Amino acid sequence: MINITVLNKAGEERLLEVPEDMGLNLMEILKANEYNVLATCGGMAMCGTCHVQVLEGMDNLGAHSDAELDMLDTLPDAESNSRLSCQLQINENMDGAVFKLMAEEDIAV
Ligand code: FES
């Protein structure tokens, strides 16, 4: 297991313990932890609704794919530390990383 920290749009922080050996990506982990990430394309780097910013640990993540960069280019709030969480495979190098959700939907009550 590894630990990552997630900040939601309101800035509330949670430490998540995540299995690094199940072939999951970060978007799947966020949904499993009940963050309201739409991920409408199902992880194909085509919707941008799984956008996160990496506050710590950027250097330990793999390089962007062309598809990820193309999608990030279309997002008005993308910064140099932006990633698509569906393109971030969970692995041991991610231990200690901090992510801020940029596209979390408000949960309807
Ligand atoms: S889920 Fe659509 S771009 Fe990540």
Side-chain angles (χ1 to χ4, degrees), residues 27 39 41-43 45-48 50 84 86:
M27 175 272 280
C41 77
M46 292 173 65
C47 71
C50 67
L84 297 177
C86 69

Side-chain angles (χ1 to χ4, degrees), residues 21-81:
D21 56 356
M22 290 178 61
L24 298 171
N25 63 49
L26 180 61
M27 175 272 280
E28 293 166 323
I29 294 293
L30 294 172
K31 287 175 85 76
N33 282 277
E34 296 178 4
Y35 286 104
N36 198 22
V37 176
L38 288 181
T40 45
C41 77
M44 304 291 288
M46 292 173 65
C47 71
T49 62
C50 67
H51 177 201
V52 297
Q53 287 187 352
V54 185
L55 303 187
E56 280 180 42
M58 189 72 168
D59 293 346
N60 298 330
L61 306 178
H64 302 78
S65 67
D66 288 347
E68 183 180 2
L69 281 176
D70 286 349
M71 178 47 64
L72 288 171
D73 268 351
T74 71
L75 302 179
D77 56 349
E79 302 283 349
S80 58
N81 63 344

Side-chain angles (χ1 to χ4, degrees), residues 57-109:
M58 189 72 168
D59 293 346
N60 298 330
L61 306 178
H64 302 78
S65 67
D66 288 347
E68 183 180 2
L69 281 176
D70 286 349
M71 178 47 64
L72 288 171
D73 268 351
T74 71
L75 302 179
D77 56 349
E79 302 283 349
S80 58
N81 63 344
S82 287
R83 298 297 303 255
L84 297 177
S85 60
C86 69
Q87 302 300 301
L88 295 176
Q89 203 71 26
I90 302 291
N91 63 46
E92 61 196 12
N93 296 333
M94 213 182 264
D95 195 22
V98 181
F99 299 98
K100 177 163 196 251
L101 302 185
M102 299 301 293
E104 185 189 30
E105 295 294 304
D106 293 331
I107 296 173
V109 281

Side-chain angles (χ1 to χ4, degrees), residues 8-28:
N8 67 10
K9 282 193 99 171
E12 293 157 354
E13 188 174 307
R14 267 169 76 191
L15 184 67
L16 303 181
E17 201 173 73
V18 175
E20 80 280 21
D21 56 356
M22 290 178 61
L24 298 171
N25 63 49
L26 180 61
M27 175 272 280
E28 293 166 323

